[in-house]
Amino acid sequence: MKTDPMETKLKIAEAAISLFTSQGFKATTVRQIAKKAGVNIALISYHFGGKKGLLEELITSFFEGYIRRIEIIYHTSSSPTVKGSFIEVVEALLIYQQRNLPLARFVYREMTLDSTLVRELMSTYLVKEKYFLQTLFEKGMKKKEFRRQPVDFLTIQFKDMMMLPFLHPLYLAEVYQISAETETFIQPYKKWMMNWFDKCVCLPERKNPLLSAVQKPLFGSIQEKWGS
């Protein structure tokens, strides 16, 4: 029976993610990956060009999908507000990272190491991510939805909060009893992110003075008026 090449690649990728996450990239051998995937060791070189090529493809494919989700919303969001566009970005990225949980954890841990590959990825994907996020924050300020504040700080805060559940899962689990592994994770964390927007990013909603006058009696309450 002929083996599907794509199925073989997926088996190798899943085995590599598991081993890289549990024992690190350097400590993992090609032989271990092949054994865990249940494939001939030569197929790793055939499909990925070796262990280094496998690492590069794993990280690149993760960021390709990650940036594509931001880019699509950036260009096609139908929300009338910038905050609404950010809500779409938050939900899309949380879902994407949760569906690729082992890979997300491995990639974020790998990105903390200084290497030629990491520097190339940052200049390619993370600079692009920075552009989209900063442009959205600036748009929100121009439309007077967001408070005037350093855009760099907002971008870094947003990025850190989107990575936190996947880069530091133990911290959130132990301190806040939140885990990205649970089915109920997305909505509570999304709400947390929106609270941050409301309190730290967005300008307070302007009250209509006519509406305020209607809601608040012009001459005080009946008791105040008649002294009863």
Side-chain angles (χ1 to χ4, degrees), residues 2-9 47:
K2 192 174 181 180
T3 306
D4 181 3
M6 184 55 67
E7 185 179 339
T8 300
K9 285 191 72 172
H47 286 295

Side-chain angles (χ1 to χ4, degrees), residues 23-79:
Q23 59 190 42
F25 173 73
K26 289 185 178 179
T28 300
T29 65
V30 175
R31 191 172 298 279
Q32 288 174 324
I33 297 170
K35 183 178 179 181
K36 189 171 183 65
V39 301
N40 189 301
I41 192 171
L43 289 173
I44 296 176
S45 293
Y46 175 77
H47 286 295
F48 299 99
K51 190 175 79 165
K52 187 177 178 182
L54 174 53
L55 172 70
E56 185 172 345
E57 184 157 336
L58 287 174
I59 298 178
T60 300
S61 64
F62 174 80
F63 279 120
E64 285 280 356
Y66 181 95
I67 297 298
R68 185 161 58 248
R69 277 152 181 79
I70 300 175
E71 191 170 12
I72 289 171
I73 294 167
Y74 179 86
H75 290 298
T76 65
S77 175
S78 59
S79 173

Side-chain angles (χ1 to χ4, degrees), residues 45-152:
S45 293
Y46 175 77
H47 286 295
F48 299 99
K51 190 175 79 165
K52 187 177 178 182
L54 174 53
L55 172 70
E56 185 172 345
E57 184 157 336
L58 287 174
I59 298 178
T60 300
S61 64
F62 174 80
F63 279 120
E64 285 280 356
Y66 181 95
I67 297 298
R68 185 161 58 248
R69 277 152 181 79
I70 300 175
E71 191 170 12
I72 289 171
I73 294 167
Y74 179 86
H75 290 298
T76 65
S77 175
S78 59
S79 173
T81 66
V82 181
K83 181 189 172 185
S85 297
F86 265 112
I87 291 173
E88 293 178 35
V89 170
V90 167
E91 186 162 24
L93 293 183
L94 289 177
I95 291 171
Y96 176 74
Q97 291 173 108
Q98 188 186 50
R99 287 178 178 171
N100 296 278
L101 191 57
L103 180 57
R105 286 179 177 172
F106 166 70
V107 167
Y108 289 143
R109 191 173 70 181
E110 197 66 23
M111 294 300 286
T112 64
L113 306 175
D114 188 3
S115 67
T116 303
L117 174 60
V118 167
R119 287 174 182 269
E120 289 174 353
L121 290 167
M122 284 188 176
S123 65
T124 303
Y125 296 106
L126 300 187
V127 169
K128 196 171 186 180
E129 177 192 31
K130 175 189 170 188
Y131 167 78
F132 288 131
L133 296 179
Q134 287 195 343
T135 304
L136 283 173
F137 279 124
E138 289 168 355
K139 184 179 178 182
M141 291 177 191
K142 287 178 182 177
K143 292 180 69 175
K144 301 190 185 308
E145 284 186 45
F146 297 165
R147 305 171 192 269
R148 285 281 176 188
Q149 54 186 306
V151 176
D152 285 338

Side-chain angles (χ1 to χ4, degrees), residues 94 98 101 105 161 164-193:
L94 289 177
Q98 188 186 50
L101 191 57
R105 286 179 177 172
M161 286 189 288
L164 183 63
F166 310 97
L167 182 59
H168 299 291
L170 186 59
Y171 168 76
L172 275 188
E174 294 296 324
V175 179
Y176 290 98
Q177 290 74 54
I178 296 173
S179 174
E181 294 182 2
T182 62
E183 293 181 3
T184 57
F185 161 74
I186 300 291
Q187 291 308 316
Y189 199 81
K190 176 184 167 185
K191 186 177 179 181
W192 199 6
M193 291 289 297

